[in-house]
Each structure stands twice: as structure tokens, then as C-alpha cells.
Amino acid sequence: MTLNKHHCCSTFIFLLLTLLSQFYSVESELQLNYYAESCPNAEEIIKQQVIKLYNKHGNTAVSWVRNLFHDCMVKSCDASLLLRRVKGMESEQESDRSFGMRNFKYINTIKEAVEKECPMTVSCADIVALSARDGILMLGGPRIEMTSGRKDSKQSYLTEVQNAIPNHNDTIDLVLARFQSIGIDTPGTVALLGAHSVGRVHCVNLVHRLYPTVDPTLDPKHAEYLKRRCPTPDPDPKAVLYSRNDLETPMILDNMFYKNLLKHKGLLMVDQQLTSHPLTSPLVEKMAADNGYFHDQFARAVLLLSENNPLNEDQGEIRKDCRYVNLV
């Protein structure tokens, strides 16, 4: 009888460990230096391409950060964002959440450089993640030890984008819930919104705070400046009409974003709300006072974001061209 109990217990433990190993198998495929044997120079090639592109077009670094957010928030970090519209497939780039995104063509520039070294080895999803890592460093942000081993999706998820990616005028509660759904806590969410420290906002996303009356949570003098940048309530979406998120350090990923929020100079409604929500306002003050704390939380959150729901070998592929799935 005792032997049977031991046997049953051993069998149960074995089955449990088997199930757990299957459950964690996808995550375990992501690892540091994933291409150490298959393509030893992959990460260095990506890094050098990011630097080269940054020196020619500084805004590419901002694009790489935004790419990571838009790709990983929708289903998985799987480069579905990069897929173009073709027969039978829509593109996530067509969503209004993707308004203002650019420089997609340079992702293929990076891909081509990697393909010359190691054909059909490095995924577009890893290029999205690693270019963001290197772009963050170019913008003065923290160094992040990022894993690789992601696979590329075989489909796009245009219909999922609206529900996955928060809008610029969503409530903070909704934004916190969306990030929480992929395992990012409140400090991480507040830190990720700090990516708005760099880049710019098109007037299309600003004018509702300026016309017909100025939003009372917006600093009056800053509102006057923004009205000069956005002189009409109905700006042309295709026109170059925008304001920098941060006028003092516009291309440095630092805590000036939070300092501006405390001065009521946040451009997006979702950003300014951070100062009035009981869960986020103390974090805004802490990050405004301590750039190191902001960078630590930002690095932690970016790493979590970059590892969201990776695809395994059966679910994904290594695309030859980041814009299209491979032909069978």
C-alpha cells in the first residue's frame, strides 16, 4: 500500500513537471545571446545599423521605441506591426493608433544587413526588440540586457489594435488595466509613458485641449505656445504640424517629462492625468525628482514588454522580408 502511494505521488510529480516544462517552454526559448552560435555578429550588426541610421536620421531612434510598444502590445512581440497590406491580409499600420508612425523602411535596411551575414536566421521580431534597446541607449536612456529568440507572426492583427493600444485621451484606469494585462505594474506603466519625453505630437492629437477653449489643466503660457504651433482646430493630418513633447531636452530620454507634467505642460491628456490619479501622482513626483529611478523602472518595464507572449517555432517563422510572410 505504501509503495503504491509513493508510486502515485511520483507519477503525479512527473506529470506536473512535464506540464510546467511545456507551459514555460516558449519563454525559455528567449535568452541572452540567443544567436551566439547561429549568427554571432547579429546583435553587433543591428547596433551598428541603429547608430548609422541615427547619425543620418535622429528620429529613427524614437521610431524604434514606438515600434516595440505598438508591436508587443498587440498579441505578441512578433513583428506583426511590420506586415504590409497584401491580398488576404490587412496591416496594423493602417490603424488610427498607428498615426504618425514612420521609418518602417529602415527596419528592412537593418534586416538586409543581417541577412547578408546570416540568411534566414534572425527574426524581424528580434530586430524590432534589439533596435529599440539600442535606440534607447542612443537617446540617453538606460542600458537594457535584452533577450532574443522571438519568432515572426504569420498574420497581422489589425482588428486587435484598437483594444490593445491605449489612445491619447483614454483614462489612466484604462491605461493601467491594459498594461496590467501583459504583466506590467503601475510604476512600469508610468515609466513607459515617460517615452513621451522624446519625439513629438501632431496637432491632430492636441487641438481638443486648445479649442474651442483651453483645457484648464494646461499651463496658460504653454497653451499660447501650442496655439502658435497648432493655429487651427482642424489641422491637416498630412501636414507637418506638431509640437515637441519636451522643449528643453527633446531628444533625450530623461525625467524632464515628469517635471513638465508637474508644471502642467503635458501635451497628451493621458499624460497629464498621471498627476491627478492617486496611484500615479506619487510616482510622477518620484520620477521627476530622480532620473535614476525613472531609468530603472523604464528598463524593467521595457524588458517585460519585449518578452510579451513570444511565439514558438510552430507558431511563427523567420521572415526573409519583414514586410511580408514567407511564401510556402
Side-chain angles (χ1 to χ4, degrees), residues 172-188:
I172 286 298
D173 285 323
L174 179 58
V175 173
L176 292 175
R178 294 235 173 122
F179 280 99
Q180 184 66 48
S181 71
I182 64 167
I184 298 177
D185 59 15
T186 300

Side-chain angles (χ1 to χ4, degrees), residues 22 37 52 86 90 93 107 115 121 124 126 159 162 195 200 216 263 267 272 280 286 290 297 312:
Q22 291 175 350
E37 294 185 8
K52 184 178 179 181
V86 293
E90 297 175 309
Q93 296 174 29
I107 284 287
E115 283 292 303
T121 303
C124 299
D126 275 340
T159 58
Q162 293 288 111
R200 61 191 190 178
K263 296 175 183 176
L267 299 192
Q272 194 58 56
T280 58
K286 189 170 184 178
D290 189 343
Q297 293 299 319
N312 62 28

Side-chain angles (χ1 to χ4, degrees), residues 75 115 133 159 205 267 293:
K75 288 281 191 181
E115 283 292 303
R133 177 197 67 181
T159 58
N205 292 331
L267 299 192
Y293 176 72

